[in-house]
Amino acid sequence: MASMIDIKRRKNSIENTEQITKAMKLVSTVKFQRARQRAEESKPYFQKMYQTMESILGTTEGIDHPYLKRNEVSKKGIITISSNRGLAGGYNNNIARLIRDTGWSRDQTLIYGIGHKAMEILAHQGYQIVSDDSDMINEPEYEDARKLGDRVLRDYENGRIGEIYLAYTEFKSTVVHQPRLIRLLPIEPGHKKEEGAGGKLLMNFEPQPEELLSMLIPKYVCSMIYGALAASAASENGARMQAMDSASSNAEEMISELELAYNRARQGAITQELTEIISGAEALK
Amino acid sequence: MAEEKMRLEIIMPERIFYEGNASMVELATTEGEIGVYPRHIPTTMIVAPGVLTITQEDGTKRQAALMSGFLEITPDSVSILAEVAEWPEEIDQERVKRAKQRAQERLKAKAADIDLARAELALKRALIREKMIQK
């Protein structure tokens, strides 16, 4: 059995850890509330944008547009959203794993990173990191998303990359966060037909659909990035909140076990001492 | 005519800018300035920088600076997805002044490394904002 002093030391150290995890939980709870509000406020825009894109793509057939067609370039660009800090459970690892599981060749994949953590993991695995916008995730703003969107679109137009993907964590509820990888460009032609058929109104487009799409698609890409940023920020803080919560309760459990062990050790010591005194007294008789 | 109204929603990425009923909406698009009454033909258009005027149900008017985005018109509703929009009281006077000056200097300098179209657009935005505040 460990000595009383060892147990005491151990218990103290766990108590300190618990204090830290508790404080972190409180901080991330506050941040989480704000991030969630932001994610919810960005939803109407996100959804409307998506609907409009679908209705345009659904009502206009056979448009020949560079944003809709796969070009010859085989390189893929992935906008990867993770966090700048760790201790958020599997949050960052899940994003890195998502990208690794695609099985895409590493030298054909360019990472537009947001958030240090997943970027570190991916760089270690041999992926190319082309840009780092990690400041963005702290307080996501539309303007930031637009700047990044413009940059990625330029690379797409210049033929540096042939496809744009977005890896982020979808925020479903406080406890459910799902890492997702979606293709932004070229826009998948698969889903446009069926869903577009739902639009009963015959839309007019001014200017002509081709021109309209050239202006609309960049906005679509930027708003998708912004929406993903907002959702990821909420998920990150949610994940950290959960991780810190279970860390705190684990710490508590360990503390109570150690407390028991400590008391037992103390009682053992007392009993032993008593036995010694009594047997000493017996011997003197 | 006055009886008629349509649903107007102006949505920004960060928040809902305006939501309510309107009897007329006027704004600038890439195809020119337009005024939309209820029962308009369904149309999708791109917003150009300009002043947005909303005539509300009770006849009062509200104005805002609308810089970019697009709009979708259906017979009973208008949805504007605005990337940048501001009420007059939200506009920062000092910033507008600076932006205007900067844009003018750039246009005057005509340096090769400056994107003229961008500077022109910036000037236009500054002028619209200025106009809004002065009202």
Side-chain angles (χ1 to χ4, degrees), chain B:
Chain B
M1 200 62 224
E3 314 283 303
E4 287 198 58
K5 59 179 186 189
M6 58 193 162
R7 183 115 198 106
L8 171 65
E9 35 177 23
I10 304 173
I11 309 170
M12 282 176 72
E14 284 98 356
R15 64 196 162 126
I16 290 175
F17 186 72
Y18 181 88
E19 206 174 15
N21 290 324
S23 55
M24 179 163 75
V25 182
E26 294 159 272
L27 74 158
T29 72
T30 50
E31 308 299 290
E33 302 213 347
I34 58 163
V36 183
Y37 280 113
R39 307 218 318 241
H40 194 282
I41 186 168
T43 311
T44 301
M45 298 178 105
I46 305 276
V47 169
V51 176
L52 166 80
T53 310
I54 307 162
T55 308
Q56 285 168 309
E57 231 181 327
D58 55 8
T60 54
K61 289 191 178 190
R62 283 192 80 174
Q63 289 198 314
L66 184 62
M67 295 306 164
S68 67
F70 69 95
L71 72 158
E72 200 181 53
I73 307 168
T74 68
D76 55 4
S77 75
V78 175
S79 312
I80 303 177
L81 285 173
E83 285 176 302
V84 185
E86 285 151 349
W87 296 116
E89 58 271 22
E90 291 169 348
I91 296 173
D92 180 350
Q93 211 159 345
E94 281 304 304
R95 222 193 97 194
V96 172
K97 225 180 259 171
R98 278 201 307 274
K100 186 182 162 192
Q101 217 169 9
R102 200 169 49 228
Q104 277 169 336
E105 275 163 21
R106 285 199 177 164
L107 285 174
K108 225 183 276 167
K110 284 208 173 114
D113 57 335
I114 288 176
D115 189 346
L116 274 184
R118 251 184 71 189
E120 252 166 46
L121 213 64
L123 180 62
K124 199 170 168 195
R125 281 199 298 263
L127 289 174
I128 291 162
R129 288 196 172 110
E130 203 177 52
K131 208 164 90 190
M132 294 288 316
I133 313 171
Q134 278 160 8
K135 259 175 210 164

Side-chain angles (χ1 to χ4, degrees), chain A residues 113-226:
Chain A
I114 303 172
H116 297 304
K117 287 291 168 186
M119 266 161 61
E120 276 162 21
I121 302 172
L122 292 169
H124 188 67
Q125 288 171 357
Y127 284 95
Q128 290 177 58
I129 313 285
V130 289
S131 72
D132 178 355
D133 295 285
S134 297
D135 303 334
M136 229 182 246
I137 195 71
N138 299 333
E139 291 284 322
E141 272 177 26
Y142 186 73
E143 195 52 34
D144 299 331
R146 216 182 57 185
K147 279 184 192 140
L148 174 65
D150 283 348
R151 207 152 5 106
V152 179
L153 279 167
R154 222 174 304 135
D155 284 350
Y156 181 80
E157 280 159 13
N158 295 341
R160 191 168 175 213
I161 48 175
E163 285 171 86
I164 303 176
Y165 287 84
L166 181 62
Y168 72 105
T169 307
E170 188 166 73
F171 178 75
K172 294 209 154 156
S173 72
T174 312
V175 287
V176 184
H177 322 117
Q178 194 180 30
R180 282 186 68 193
L181 181 71
I182 54 170
R183 190 167 87 192
L184 291 180
L185 285 186
I187 292 171
E188 286 167 56
H191 69 139
K192 72 182 186 191
K193 285 278 155 53
E194 339 129 35
E195 311 216 5
K200 325 106 223 155
L201 290 166
L202 198 56
M203 256 303 160
N204 287 286
F205 300 106
E206 287 180 43
Q208 289 305 302
E210 286 86 353
E211 231 179 294
L212 190 82
L213 281 176
S214 317
M215 293 195 245
L216 214 51
I217 289 176
K219 293 188 200 304
Y220 166 76
V221 169
C222 298
S223 75
M224 291 299 276
I225 296 174
Y226 176 74

